[in-house]
Amino acid sequence: MQPRFEKRVGTTPFSMVTHLRFRAGFDFLRLRADVGEVDEALADWWQEFQLADEARREDMIDQVREEQKQRARKNPPVVRSVPKPAAPADESGAAAASGAAAPAADGLPDDAEGSAEGSAVKKRRRRRRKPSGGGEGAPPAAPDA
């Protein structure tokens, strides 16, 4: 229940307060706040939320939603591109760049890798192994002597 205390928007807070074990979870949250593991403001928010009436609860949720929107505007997510690893060079250099003479890295034949022009590679499915021991084809167990 502890990770759910972080979610203070939508219907999550209402369902948590009505949960049978909310009080135990809240008490543990309060202990975590006392030792500095979580923010004290979070425990205070839940303390006030559980004692508030319906109108005040709605206002508290709206307030949290606005705070989250402001934080999202101030700190837009940073999108970083990850450079693709370079393919190992052959002795000729041109064969590895074109990919035509390079062997299949995952054990697929060359024709299964797809045609030119960036077509998608069809994945091969693996068959599941039958569990060993106790099956029809399994050898009988040796008796203990």
Side-chain angles (χ1 to χ4, degrees):
M1 184 178 260
Q2 294 300 304
R4 293 177 62 195
F5 281 113
E6 299 289 330
K7 299 173 186 162
R8 296 182 290 168
V9 293
T11 59
T12 303
F14 294 105
S15 63
M16 286 202 39
V17 171
T18 60
H19 196 277
L20 290 173
R21 304 231 170 122
F22 169 77
R23 188 62 198 187
F26 172 73
D27 290 342
F28 187 61
L29 177 72
R30 179 58 75 185
L31 288 171
R32 290 176 61 209
D34 289 344
V35 297
E37 191 174 321
V38 295
D39 191 17
E40 185 76 29
L42 181 65
D44 292 339
W45 188 91
W46 279 101
Q47 177 76 35
E48 185 177 347
F49 185 81
Q50 70 179 340
L51 299 174
D53 61 342
E54 289 297 317
R56 176 68 182 132
R57 286 180 178 182
E58 290 289 341
D59 291 341
M60 291 175 70
I61 290 175
D62 290 340
Q63 189 177 22
V64 168
R65 188 176 298 124
E66 288 300 319
E67 289 173 7
Q68 288 178 349
K69 284 181 183 178
Q70 288 176 357
R71 264 189 254 131
R73 283 185 214 135
K74 286 182 182 177
N75 301 327
V78 177
V79 179
R80 296 181 182 162
S81 61
V82 178
K84 294 182 180 179
D90 267 356
E91 286 124 36
S92 64
S98 67
D106 57 355
L108 296 177
D110 288 337
D111 60 343
E113 288 184 8
S115 62
E117 300 289 326
S119 65
V121 177
K122 184 177 179 183
K123 285 188 172 183
R124 290 194 170 201
R125 294 185 177 210
R126 291 186 179 183
R127 285 190 163 171
R128 294 181 124 188
R129 289 186 176 185
K130 293 184 179 178
S132 61
E136 291 177 18
D144 291 334

